[in-house]
Amino acid sequence: MRHSSDDLPVALYSAAQVRALDAELIAAGTPGFALMQRAAHAIWRALRRSWPDAGAVTVLAGHGNNAGDGYLLAVLAVRAGWQVRVLAVAEPQRLQGDAALARDEALAAGVEVLAWEAGHEARGVLVDALLGTGLAGAVREPYAAAIEWMNHSARPVLAVDIPSGICADTGQVLGVAVAAQLTVTLIGLKVGLFVGQALDHVGRLLFDDLQSNVANQSWVAQRLAGDVLPHLPARAPTAHKGQLGHVLVVGGDHGTGGAALLSAHSALRSGAGRVSLATRGEHLAAAQSRLPEVMSLAVASANQLHGLGGNITVWVVGPGLGQSAWGRSLLSVAVTAPAAQVWDADALNLLAEGVVSIPPGSVVTPHPGEAARLLGISTQALQADRPAAARALAQRYQVICVLKGAGTLIADPMGCLLVCDRGDPVMAGAGLGDVLAGLIGALIAQGCTPWQAAGLGVWLHAGAGEYLAGKGNGLAASDLCDAIRHLLQERAACRK
């Protein structure tokens, strides 16, 4: 999904909250039909900016206020001299209230209104004014067929408020959903636009608040944006490595040493004062050669870790750890350490098995498969409602949960939720999670709280992926480390 700019609001709402905001506007004296007219004008402006030479528009209308927006859009297009048709998937005479008034205005303006049939030709820009945010179950016929017709039309599609078939709260596709090139969402941003399968359907996202004032309203989540992220404190001229934390990365069983090396490299480039690596002896030569700045230790047993505990600020445990006796014994030492903890990969798989308990207040960074195991559900069930899953994980284990994937989520045990809408598909590759774990550890080491480090770390990680996406596919996880270092400068001056 691509946004037009980062001037979108931070607050994200549920569908019920947006409906309540709409009702409050009407109760405060703004007629519902006036809001519908504002919506139509906002959509028409967006359509003309995106496709100024289209000259034709086909509106697919349903039965609610979403359809009313579409009928009034058709009026504006007719008045501008465009060729306009409304294909009514719901019977126009069944419309009620403001939507019926919009239908009547369209008919009076000479808009051609036809019953939708699969044999109709798709003309110009298609406008999805079918279902809106009120959808609760799977899309039924004839709406499902109309959505498939739009998706196979090879015409550009603008979705009104949200692509029809997308759940406004979870981003899940409810059977079938419109694949839009542009979505114009209204009054408040819906959390479902930013998570789950919605990312493949929203296209470019534009927002219009319709002159509403929602600044003081409650919300269900926030977007990760620059103005809500912490700044690392500037370093004094006399700063030294002892003031910037000591990160210990624990992992790298037989054949998986690269994962631990990536985390250590990331922690080093992300500003930690000191970085140590505890790994299998077979990886020691590679670690010392590749990362001479990292203090690498060959560890054969848990006993060799005990002496390190008092010198460590943050433990990053799990990258390449494995689930053998070696990994289990090292994880058992981490559990008893007094320092902050970041758990990833096999540390989470061992946690899911009940082998250990994680210290409260730690950060966990599961991908969907690991998160599903931690919750004891299927990956499919987890992906169907990622916000609920992230909150459930944070509450069950009393941790900060970073649920990775497109639209990464950060949740705390109290239910606070952050949504990352940055990143790029070029980041679909191995090792990027190891880099994220090391980055979050380094930020905690430098003074961020676990919650701050999780949010800032995810934001920097995704931003680095966007920065490097212009170079094309084939992104290696280690490529991110230098890009993260440059982006960090935006959040923390090197010197006072």
Side-chain angles (χ1 to χ4, degrees), residues 196-357:
Q197 296 168 297
L199 302 179
D200 289 332
H201 293 261
V202 170
R204 189 163 60 96
L205 180 64
L206 295 177
F207 171 68
D208 196 297
D209 65 4
L210 304 187
Q211 304 173 37
S212 63
N213 181 16
V214 298
N216 298 320
Q217 302 294 328
S218 60
W219 36 263
V220 296
Q222 287 185 303
R223 289 176 51 247
L224 269 179
D227 55 356
V228 300
L229 291 170
H231 286 264
L232 287 172
R235 296 184 181 183
T238 56
H240 59 81
K241 63 183 180 182
Q243 297 172 327
L244 301 171
H246 188 174
V247 176
L248 172 63
V249 177
V250 181
D253 201 354
H254 298 303
T256 55
L261 280 175
L262 282 169
S263 285
H265 185 196
S266 176
L268 185 71
R269 286 299 190 184
S270 301
R274 290 178 289 175
V275 180
S276 293
L277 170 63
T279 190
R280 286 281 193 181
E282 68 192 65
H283 305 311
L284 193 60
Q288 292 175 333
S289 174
R290 183 177 177 84
L291 298 173
E293 304 89 348
V294 171
M295 296 170 283
S296 299
L297 173 68
V299 176
S301 69
N303 290 333
Q304 293 173 273
L305 281 183
H306 283 293
L308 296 175
N311 299 319
I312 304 303
T313 310
V314 185
W315 289 60
V316 177
V317 190
L321 183 69
Q323 299 181 52
S324 68
W326 180 81
R328 291 169 185 249
S329 65
L330 269 55
L331 185 58
S332 69
V333 177
V335 168
T336 62
Q341 308 263 325
V342 179
W343 285 24
D344 185 38
D346 280 321
L348 301 177
N349 291 324
L350 293 172
L351 177 63
E353 289 182 14
V355 173
V356 292
S357 297

Side-chain angles (χ1 to χ4, degrees), residues 58 85-88 112 114-123 149:
T58 301
R85 285 194 308 178
V86 172
L87 299 182
E112 182 182 22
L114 302 173
W116 176 82
E117 295 178 1
H120 281 303
E121 178 187 0
R123 299 178 185 172
W149 178 83

